[in-house]
Amino acid sequence: MITLHGFAASNYYNIVKHALLYKGIPFQEDLLYAGSDDLLTVSPVGKVPAITMPDGFNLSESSVICDFLEETYPEKPLYPTNAAERAAVRQIMKIAELYFELLCRRLIPYVFSGTQAPNAIKEEVRQVLSRGIIAMNRLCKFSPWIAGEQFTMADIYVHHVNTIVSAFGSTQLEWDVLAEVEGMKEWNKAMSKTDIAQSVQADSQANMPEFMQHVAAQIKAANAG
């Protein structure tokens, strides 16, 4: 059985978990936080998520894991059969990661500390988010799924990316970023109502108090040092 390493409060962990559940692939979960020694044994840079296959093969990076799962378990596909359409799906995922999610992560320390990010950082995040909004408006179809008629990995990926954008970007910037992409909020709401998304979200909320304690301990240790 596959082992999924990480923690449920992580949106990248939830991307892989959602894909596993959608495909009906049996797996077990191993609670590990980023940077732990145990995680370093299965992830070369100690990042969440990572998976261990039944034969002992380890793999990290969410998008790489998702591609591997698709190739290894082709039943119930999450990518189109056409090469150009597959590339279009991956393009949406990459732009969402680079121009939506990663920028908003710069705001996480300020949200956790209950402070406001410096205006210079906010402006930089706004500028890059604006580029992402333009790109996503050009690429996303929402007819009914993000890349067209087929439910794809992009639906899973962007839905979980949006949790960071909504929780941190919108809070610090006082900007409803998802509303800037036509059809995004309606699609995201529909995604959140699916059985798998609700199950994943419930696990995430259950893990959040422990995760916050872990973050607080890390901050305390860093300050003490």
Side-chain angles (χ1 to χ4, degrees):
M1 182 181 293
I2 293 175
T3 300
L4 174 61
H5 308 280
F7 57 97
S10 163
N11 65 319
Y12 281 122
Y13 178 91
N14 289 334
I15 287 169
V16 175
K17 183 175 180 178
H18 197 136
L20 286 164
L21 290 169
Y22 180 84
K23 283 179 162 292
I25 303 170
F27 69 99
Q28 59 187 0
E29 298 182 71
D30 176 32
L31 177 62
L32 292 175
Y33 290 105
S36 70
D37 291 340
D38 287 341
L39 186 58
L40 282 168
T41 65
V42 293
S43 170
V45 293
K47 287 176 61 178
V48 169
I51 63 169
T52 299
M53 297 298 291
D55 63 0
F57 173 65
N58 297 315
L59 191 65
S60 61
E61 299 296 337
S62 58
S63 60
V64 176
I65 295 172
C66 287
D67 282 351
F68 172 76
L69 292 175
E70 182 73 4
E71 293 177 6
T72 308
Y73 303 92
E75 302 81 8
K76 206 168 184 182
L78 278 166
Y79 288 98
T81 56
N82 178 274
E85 292 176 356
R86 287 198 304 275
V89 166
R90 291 190 174 99
Q91 181 176 221
I92 291 172
M93 293 164 61
K94 181 57 68 174
I95 287 176
E97 177 186 359
L98 296 179
Y99 295 94
F100 263 38
E101 204 264 4
L102 287 180
L103 268 296
C104 290
R105 280 186 173 271
R106 295 194 62 188
L107 304 171
I108 291 178
Y110 303 101
V111 174
F112 282 173
S113 63
T115 60
Q116 286 293 312
N119 288 334
I121 291 180
K122 288 184 179 182
E123 184 57 29
E124 182 182 345
V125 172
R126 278 183 173 274
Q127 288 180 1
V128 181
L129 276 173
S130 295
R131 294 174 63 189
I133 287 167
I134 292 171
M136 294 296 273
N137 269 307
R138 290 174 175 170
L139 296 174
C140 297
K141 297 179 179 179
F142 305 117
S143 57
W145 303 113
I146 201 165
E149 295 182 359
Q150 180 182 347
F151 182 87
T152 68
M153 193 70 77
D155 290 284
I156 295 173
Y157 206 91
V158 177
H159 176 66
H160 293 289
V161 160
N162 284 348
T163 62
I164 297 295
V165 177
S166 297
F168 302 112
S170 298
T171 301
Q172 283 280 316
L173 303 176
E174 297 181 355
W175 186 19
D176 190 350
V177 179
L178 302 190
E180 300 290 338
V181 180
E182 186 176 357
M184 175 75 82
K185 291 196 75 172
E186 295 79 7
W187 162 84
N188 205 58
K189 184 177 181 179
M191 277 290 298
S192 68
K193 290 182 177 179
T194 62
D195 291 343
I196 293 176
Q198 289 184 342
S199 173
V200 171
Q201 178 61 16
D203 289 344
S204 178
Q205 291 177 339
N207 176 236
M208 190 60 70
E210 181 178 322
F211 169 64
M212 294 303 295
Q213 288 180 353
H214 173 75
V215 171
Q218 284 187 316
I219 294 173
K220 184 178 180 179
N223 291 336

